[in-house]
Amino acid sequence: MSTARARLESLRHEDLAALHAAGHAPDPAALHGAMDGLVLTSTVMRELRLWRGKVFEPQADGCVGGLNRLGLGPIEVRRYRFRAYVGPSLFADRSVLLLDHDTAANPPYIRRFHDELVQIDDAVFLATSHYRVKGEQRFAAYFALVREEPAS
């Protein structure tokens, strides 16, 4: 992830917005397994480095779901379920992959997150994360997910 990390970390908010706008909604069925994550614009989340990414899992009903990867040092846990599906963006006239955390298994503060993911190249995905406060979506951060490339 180091090349993708360095490239993404060098981008400003405006550059990330343009890159996100140029991306396309990935096929949820093509997402599977653990993906490394990188918080790009939230200083607190970047410094803490507690969020490590997401893991995508096919569901029995044919949908795709998953869990967030959280950790400190060598310890990693997978928590906070989400469902992944293509739907309309709340912020632009286009389709995105929605990562819906509003499930009964999650605590209320997690259920308020609204993530819109797009694919920007074969192995890199860029998302906006918003947090619902009093019915209004407020921008929280850009984050990236990077799919592990198979070893050659």
Side-chain angles (χ1 to χ4, degrees):
M1 181 166 154
S2 60
T3 304
R5 174 186 294 264
R7 181 176 61 118
L8 290 166
E9 285 183 326
S10 71
L11 298 175
R12 297 171 313 179
H13 185 92
E14 299 79 21
D15 300 323
L16 292 166
L19 196 55
H20 191 271
H24 66 276
D27 176 5
L31 299 173
H32 49 80
M35 296 179 78
D36 289 332
L38 176 62
V39 177
L40 298 169
T41 56
S42 172
T43 305
V44 172
M45 290 302 293
R46 265 176 88 168
E47 295 303 318
L48 290 176
R49 297 196 187 272
L50 298 175
W51 182 76
R52 294 185 176 172
K54 294 187 182 284
V55 60
F56 290 87
E57 308 165 329
Q59 305 295 298
D61 61 3
C63 295
V64 175
L67 293 160
N68 284 278
R69 298 172 50 218
L70 307 166
L72 186 60
I75 299 168
E76 181 173 297
V77 295
R78 295 178 176 183
R79 302 189 82 150
Y80 309 128
R81 289 215 159 269
F82 62 87
R83 293 177 299 127
Y85 54 90
V86 174
S89 169
L90 291 182
F91 311 102
D93 185 22
R94 67 184 184 135
S95 294
V96 294
L97 187 73
L98 299 169
L99 303 179
D100 183 2
H101 295 85
D102 194 7
T103 67
N106 289 335
Y109 64 93
I110 295 295
R111 296 176 73 168
R112 293 180 180 161
F113 280 97
H114 174 86
D115 298 340
E116 297 191 359
L117 187 85
V118 297
Q119 189 165 2
I120 57 174
D121 76 20
D122 289 342
V124 181
F125 304 81
L126 182 62
T128 59
S129 185
H130 288 78
Y131 195 73
R132 188 176 61 250
V133 178
K134 297 181 181 177
E136 180 182 313
Q137 294 289 342
R138 296 188 183 167
F139 180 80
Y142 278 100
F143 68 86
L145 294 171
V146 179
R147 182 186 349 243
E148 290 280 330
E149 292 296 318
S152 336

